[in-house]
Amino acid sequence: MTPEPVTPEPVLAVEGLRVSAATDHGRVTVVDDVSLALRPGRIHGLAGESGSGKTVTGLAVLGLLARPALRVEAGTARLGGDDLLALGERELRAIRGRRVSMVFQEPMTSLDPAFTVGRTIGEVLRTHLRLSRRAARARAVELLDRVGIPEPDRRVDAYPFELSGGMLQRVLIATAIACEPAVLLADEPTTALDVTVQAGILALLRSLADDGMAVLLVTHDLGLLAEHCDDLTVMYAGQVVESGPVADVLTAPAHPYTAGLLAAVPSATVRADRLAAIPGAVPAPHLMPTGCRFADRCPHRRAECAEPVPLTGGAGRARRCVRADDLVLEGV
């Protein structure tokens, strides 16, 4: 008999993350009880509407929240023996870019226009690996070649405004992987890119995962998640509502919100007079209900949905719905 594959231990485990924000209504919780397990060699997708807390989760893990407006109130983020949420700025600077890196959504605003791309990549190498200026430049050329930028020995001396959006996104990825971190957080890395460039970026992320890196891919595109991810977490209104292997979540969703997202994806084969949509809107952070946060938009709600709903299930398949065991929801 063929033994079942062994699931690797998480290289980064986030547990019970809670983040608050200062608003005109006082401090309110914007990320509540979020847990993620990123494993080596796997791409973990993070999906949800804008404002669901996906980007804030990634920034909180790396200690990049705009404080004091945003601050971590509870939780842990264990990377090896370190809890990233408990470390000071000096300790985090030694970890960012070396053991865990982040690719931001807007490459043009993430790169300094006064520095060439080679100097930007070289700064990471010189800071963490203590390479000489010449060695850092040579390594930058290798990295640009690896991420698919043509003529890397010439592009290494280019400024950001001389490169296209797709090339800039590749430069960000080259910078992020320069020191071969164990974890890569990619926040909407294919936004505003054409489909050809998008495919190249995703193929690059896949190759990084195949080399053993743990990748978190934040995106709105469920098609990308289905094609490129191994695991999937769905967030709504600052909470995790469902998680598990991507095939299980997409073919047999356990939460009505996930099913609503899938139903809203336009079909190329089924003709419809109107596009499907989830009714209503995400409640404002200071108006979050005490029970299920999706209840007002859910066609399956019951009286018990007015009570707080915990995240149930094991590490392999979790859901936040009191009717998860009796609902049969349509997937893809």
Side-chain angles (χ1 to χ4, degrees):
M1 296 179 62
T2 303
E4 293 187 3
V6 177
T7 302
E9 289 297 313
V11 63
L12 175 62
V14 180
E15 293 286 344
L17 175 65
R18 187 169 77 248
V19 178
S20 70
T23 72
D24 294 338
H25 304 277
R27 293 207 75 88
V28 297
T29 299
V30 292
V31 168
D32 184 26
D33 189 28
V34 168
S35 297
L36 295 168
L38 306 186
R39 305 178 189 279
R42 298 177 73 85
I43 299 180
H44 192 121
L46 188 59
E49 293 173 85
S50 295
S52 61
K54 306 184 299 298
T55 296
V56 171
T57 297
L59 294 176
V61 168
L62 286 179
L64 295 174
L65 294 176
R67 293 173 290 195
L70 293 167
R71 72 183 182 210
V72 174
E73 301 288 353
T76 60
R78 300 203 174 276
L79 179 69
D82 297 313
D83 178 6
L84 300 183
L85 302 184
L87 299 181
E89 181 61 25
R90 181 185 295 271
E91 296 165 306
L92 284 172
R93 286 192 176 190
I95 290 175
R96 296 188 200 116
R98 184 66 182 95
R99 297 170 60 191
V100 56
S101 292
M102 188 166 187
V103 178
F104 297 96
Q105 184 173 349
E106 297 292 342
M108 184 58 77
T109 59
S110 301
L111 295 170
D112 193 323
F115 294 159
T116 65
V117 297
R119 183 174 175 184
T120 297
I121 299 172
E123 183 178 5
V124 177
L125 294 165
R126 298 185 68 196
T127 299
H128 292 294
L129 304 184
R130 305 300 180 186
L131 297 186
S132 67
R133 190 179 299 274
R134 176 176 293 182
R137 187 184 188 281
R139 175 61 177 154
V141 172
E142 294 175 3
L143 288 163
L144 292 178
D145 182 59
R146 182 182 182 187
V147 299
I149 291 183
E151 301 180 278
D153 53 342
R154 184 170 67 87
R155 302 287 187 184
V156 73
D157 295 319
Y159 289 89
F161 59 84
E162 297 179 293
L163 302 179
S164 67
M167 284 189 179
L168 291 177
Q169 194 64 275
R170 291 173 184 269
V171 169
L172 281 185
I173 295 175
T175 305
I177 67 173
C179 298
E180 301 181 352
V183 181
L184 179 66
L185 310 181
D187 184 13
E188 298 278 2
T190 59
T191 298
L193 301 180
D194 64 66
V195 292
T196 303
V197 176
Q198 183 182 86
I201 295 293
L202 292 168
L204 173 60
L205 294 179
R206 182 74 263 174
S207 72
L208 294 172
D210 290 343
D211 288 341
M213 192 176 292
V215 179
L216 179 69
L217 175 60
V218 177
T219 181
H220 294 87
D221 194 326
L222 295 179
L224 296 185
L225 294 169
E227 185 175 356
H228 298 280
C229 293
D230 304 295
D231 308 292
L232 175 60
T233 293
V234 181
M235 290 185 67
Y236 177 78
Q239 291 183 331
V240 171
V241 296
E242 183 169 3
S243 65
V246 67
D248 294 349
V249 174
L250 296 183
T251 58
H255 195 282
Y257 177 65
T258 307
L261 289 179
L262 294 172
V265 177
S267 173
T269 58
V270 178
R271 183 181 178 88
D273 294 331
R274 292 177 60 88
L275 293 175
I278 301 174
V282 181
H286 67 285
L287 296 176
M288 289 295 176
T290 56
C292 174
R293 297 184 175 184
F294 187 63
D296 288 345
R297 308 175 70 186
C298 181
H300 307 287
R301 62 182 177 272
R302 287 183 176 175
E304 56 263 39
C305 299
E307 300 298 322
V309 183
L311 190 67
T312 59
R317 195 77 163 88
R319 56 276 182 102
R320 193 184 299 272
C321 180
V322 296
R323 300 195 59 194
D325 293 330
D326 64 86
L327 285 178
V328 179
L329 301 171
E330 186 175 351
V332 295

